[in-house]
């Protein structure tokens, strides 16, 4: 009797467990490689480790026809494809790629007797593009040779000729790549973490410092750019050569980019909005004026005739404007910077828009190094009639006070006056590249005069 009861309970337990097991199987993650679903062994899944999507490396590598060797004693995975070799070790956040050490954002893990690695490593070091559908739990892997199109031929260049990169810089939220000849890069984005990938086909490194060899990476200093974690670059493929640049973003709520090629330089201009605490609109009934000393911190702006950065002049004049406006009882003054720091252009715009400012004034110095004789004051607005009116009034006061050549009021497509929603102007007080004008602009007397002219213009526009 006792034995019968035990058997009955065991049978009931089995019936209870069967549907649970079926449900787990139907929810199992999938890996799609070049359009084909990979057959995963039992209990092998894509996993999320500390917000890093990890995939079983052996399954992927073997389906790509790579040779995979596992050393149980050392916990090492060695992946070989022709002369290319990748070595990974469980628990170590560094890999060996073609005899070069590469850092991983998270170390390989041993989960259910299967080695899993971050998909970022797969995308950047194994020549694959990856996608992750979090809702469906599907990883999509696409071989570069099937997913990245060749750049369109312009008929003027031998497409088999390897292009060369001579310099890579990141400043003022612009990635600037100096090329031997124009090439159309392939740009894509990846998540977890957010990255912008720029691939230059048929391109190698030319005459530039710190050229990474093999699978190693070079890195740029981005410590002054809060929206960017790092910019790294490498020779992603050898045959044909392909250079990859990765811009990894940090705490960015939105990002847009534009690209252009000018005089042998490819420029990727990023417009990012970070996630600072929102500004609180001032409710004192006063007119809100935002003064923006241009550039700052890691962004020097242009360089003057005597090799001084524009940011010094912009801040010096901005602080004098601040001192005058703080005495105005009907004006609430906000500065985008009061020291040598670099708020991004997007942050300056967001500050002014969040405050619902009445006036935005950005202060700059001009430059044409190729023509040091050029001089004069010019003032920019963007389309809005209210901005044009403000620009006309301030410009009139500057010309009258400083006596510099009148270069006019112009419509200009600059982000800080284009994306702000109030009356906004950008002032080019004079040409720092002109020896005599730089001297005049930097003099204490003219700094005071220019500050007073700007304040008088703002007050006249606001009818104060």
């Amino acid at each position: 009797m006792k034995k019968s009861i035990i058997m009955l309970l065991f049978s009931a337990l089995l019936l209870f467990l069967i549907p649970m097991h079926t449900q787990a199987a139907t929810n199992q993650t999938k890996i799609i490689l070049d359009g084909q679903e990979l057959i995963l062994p039992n209990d092998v899944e894509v996993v999320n480790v500390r917000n890093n999507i990890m995939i079983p490396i052996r399954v992927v590598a073997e389906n790509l026809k790579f040779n995979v060797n596992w050393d149980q004693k050392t916990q090492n995975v060695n992946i070989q494809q022709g002369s290319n070799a990748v070595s990974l070790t469980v628990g170590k956040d560094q890999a060996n790629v073609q005899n070069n050490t590469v850092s991983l954002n998270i170390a390989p893990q041993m989960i259910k007797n299967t080695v899993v690695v971050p998909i970022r490593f797969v995308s950047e070091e194994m020549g694959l593009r990856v996608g992750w559908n979090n809702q469906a739990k599907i990883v999509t892997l696409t071989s570069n040779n099937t997913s990245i199109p060749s750049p369109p031929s312009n008929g003027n260049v031998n497409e088999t000729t390897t292009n060369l990169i001579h310099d890579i810089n990141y400043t003022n939220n612009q990635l600037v790549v100096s090329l031997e000849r124009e090439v159309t890069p392939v740009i894509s984005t990846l998540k977890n973490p957010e990255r912008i990938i720029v691939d230059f086909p048929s391109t190698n490194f030319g005459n530039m410092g710190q050229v990474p060899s093999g699978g190693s990476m070079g890195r740029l200093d981005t410590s002054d750019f809060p929206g960017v974690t790092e910019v790294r670059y490498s020779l992603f493929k050898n045959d044909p050569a392909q250079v990859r640049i990765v811009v990894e973003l940090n705490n960015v709520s939105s990002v847009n980019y534009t690209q252009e090629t000018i005089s042998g330089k490819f420029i990727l201009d990023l417009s990012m909005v970070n996630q600072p605490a929102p500004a609180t609109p001032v409710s004192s009934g006063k007119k809100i004026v935002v003064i923006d000393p241009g550039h700052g911190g890691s962004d020097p702006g242009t360089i003057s005739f005597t090799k001084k950065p524009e940011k010094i002049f912009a801040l010096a004049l901005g602080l004098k404007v601040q001192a005058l406006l703080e005495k105005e009882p009907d004006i609430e003054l906000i500065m985008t910077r009061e020291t040598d720091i670099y708020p991004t252009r997007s942050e300056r715009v967001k500050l002014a828009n969040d405050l619902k400012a009445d006036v935005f004034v950005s202060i700059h110095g001009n430059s044409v190094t190729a023509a040091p004789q050029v001089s004069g004051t010019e003032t920019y607005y963007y389309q809005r009639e209210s901005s044009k009116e403000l620009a006309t009034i301030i410009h009139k006061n500057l010309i009258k006070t400083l006596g510099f050549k009148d270069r006019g009021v112009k419509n200009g497509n600059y982000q800080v006056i284009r994306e702000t929603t109030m009356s906004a102007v950008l002032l080019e007080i004079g040409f720092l590249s002109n020896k005599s004008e730089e001297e005049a602009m930097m003099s204490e007397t003219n700094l005071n005069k220019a500050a007073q002219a700007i304040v008088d213009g703002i007050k006249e526009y606001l009818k104060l």
Side-chain angles (χ1 to χ4, degrees):
M1 180 69 178
K2 188 174 182 180
K3 184 176 180 181
S4 299
I5 294 174
I6 292 173
M7 289 298 295
L8 183 63
L9 289 172
F10 181 72
S11 299
L13 182 61
L14 282 177
L15 289 172
F16 178 73
L17 289 176
I18 287 172
M20 289 180 63
H21 175 75
T22 304
Q23 181 66 27
T26 57
N27 286 338
Q28 189 178 36
T29 51
K30 296 180 181 180
I31 300 177
I32 308 296
L33 175 62
D34 289 337
Q36 298 293 320
E37 182 179 349
L38 302 186
I39 298 174
L40 300 179
N42 291 336
D43 296 328
V44 173
E45 290 189 299
V46 177
V47 294
N48 187 325
V49 180
R50 299 195 301 276
N51 292 322
N52 289 274
I53 304 304
M54 313 277 283
I55 63 175
I57 187 63
R58 186 182 195 109
V59 174
V60 174
E62 288 182 344
N63 276 274
L64 286 168
K65 309 303 181 185
F66 295 176
N67 293 319
V68 182
N69 292 306
W70 164 248
D71 189 320
Q72 178 67 35
K73 184 177 180 180
T74 62
Q75 301 279 283
N76 177 262
V77 179
N78 189 270
I79 304 165
Q80 193 85 24
Q81 183 196 35
S83 60
N84 299 325
V86 176
S87 179
L88 301 151
T89 302
V90 172
K92 291 187 177 180
D93 60 2
Q94 290 186 326
N96 189 287
V97 180
Q98 300 194 151
N99 297 319
N100 291 281
T101 301
V102 175
S103 296
L104 306 177
N105 56 318
I106 184 171
Q109 309 281 314
M110 176 70 79
I111 298 178
K112 296 181 180 179
N113 294 318
T114 300
V115 179
V116 293
V117 300
I119 58 174
R120 187 171 105 176
F121 176 82
V122 174
S123 71
E124 294 182 0
E125 303 299 338
M126 295 183 64
L128 298 178
R129 293 178 67 185
V130 302
W132 167 243
N133 184 323
N134 189 56
Q135 184 175 1
K137 307 302 180 188
I138 297 175
V139 172
T140 305
L141 305 174
T142 312
S143 301
N144 273 329
N145 57 5
T146 62
S147 64
I148 296 181
S150 298
S153 172
N154 56 21
N156 298 324
V157 179
N158 181 355
E159 297 296 322
T160 62
T161 303
T162 299
N163 196 7
L164 295 176
I165 289 178
H166 296 301
D167 192 33
I168 303 173
N169 279 300
Y170 188 86
T171 185
N172 202 21
N173 281 329
Q174 289 183 326
L175 175 68
V176 182
V177 183
S178 298
L179 295 152
E180 187 174 63
R181 58 178 173 81
E182 185 174 338
V183 64
T184 303
V186 177
I187 302 177
S188 55
T189 58
L190 293 173
K191 294 184 178 296
N192 297 322
E194 300 280 345
R195 284 155 288 156
I196 297 176
I197 314 294
V198 186
D199 286 316
F200 292 87
S202 300
T203 302
N204 207 327
F205 293 107
N207 183 24
M208 61 176 284
Q210 298 183 350
V211 175
S213 59
S216 65
M217 292 186 184
R219 285 176 169 81
L220 302 181
D221 181 12
T222 58
S223 57
D224 291 324
F225 302 99
V228 176
T229 300
E230 70 173 1
V231 176
R232 52 187 180 272
Y233 54 92
S234 65
L235 184 61
F236 185 59
K237 292 171 65 179
N238 282 313
D239 188 17
Q242 177 182 314
V243 170
R244 168 167 287 189
I245 302 175
V246 180
V247 182
E248 184 172 318
L249 307 178
N250 175 44
N251 195 33
V252 171
S253 59
S254 66
V255 60
N256 294 301
Y257 60 81
T258 58
Q259 56 176 310
E260 59 182 335
T261 303
I262 303 175
S263 302
K265 294 183 185 294
F266 168 79
I267 301 172
L268 186 72
D269 193 335
L270 303 181
S271 173
M272 292 182 287
V273 176
N274 291 332
Q275 301 182 39
T280 304
V282 179
S283 57
S284 62
K286 299 179 179 181
K287 297 295 186 181
I288 302 172
V289 175
V290 176
I291 299 298
D292 173 40
H295 309 286
S298 60
D299 175 18
T302 190
I303 303 300
S304 74
F305 184 86
T306 58
K307 308 304 180 186
K308 296 183 180 71
E310 178 189 355
K311 66 178 183 178
I312 292 178
F313 165 76
L315 183 59
L317 179 53
L319 293 176
K320 288 189 176 294
V321 173
Q322 178 188 28
L324 293 173
L325 285 177
E326 285 178 340
K327 298 176 183 178
E328 296 296 327
D330 297 320
I331 289 178
E332 189 74 36
L333 173 67
I334 306 295
M335 301 288 290
T336 61
R337 71 181 183 100
E338 299 175 73
T339 58
D340 187 23
I341 61 172
Y342 176 65
T344 67
R345 294 189 298 273
S346 296
E347 288 170 339
R348 299 173 203 234
V349 168
K350 188 175 189 300
L351 173 68
N353 288 344
D354 286 350
L355 288 168
K356 302 187 186 307
D358 297 285
V359 165
F360 178 93
V361 177
S362 190
I363 298 172
H364 294 262
N366 221 332
S367 176
V368 180
T369 54
Q373 74 279 4
V374 175
S375 63
T377 301
E378 53 192 17
T379 303
Y380 290 91
Y381 68 96
Y382 182 74
Q383 294 185 349
R384 291 186 297 275
E385 281 301 316
S386 62
S387 294
K388 184 178 181 180
E389 181 186 353
L390 175 64
T392 301
I393 294 172
I394 294 179
H395 184 81
K396 173 195 68 177
N397 281 275
L398 284 170
I399 294 298
K400 180 180 177 181
T401 301
L402 295 177
F404 292 173
K405 180 180 177 180
D406 187 349
R407 296 179 61 86
V409 174
K410 304 174 181 180
N411 188 10
N413 188 18
Y414 297 103
Q415 183 181 354
V416 292
I417 57 175
R418 181 185 69 241
E419 297 181 8
T420 41
T421 56
M422 69 294 305
S423 302
V425 297
L426 186 147
L427 309 177
E428 295 282 9
I429 305 298
F431 279 77
L432 293 167
S433 53
N434 182 300
K435 181 180 180 182
S436 60
E437 197 152 274
E438 179 203 2
E439 185 178 352
M441 291 166 66
M442 291 290 193
S443 72
E444 194 73 12
T445 299
N446 280 329
L447 282 172
N448 289 328
K449 286 182 178 179
Q452 190 64 62
I454 293 169
V455 171
D456 289 345
I458 292 171
K459 290 175 63 180
E460 181 181 343
Y461 172 77
L462 293 174
K463 296 179 172 56
L464 298 178

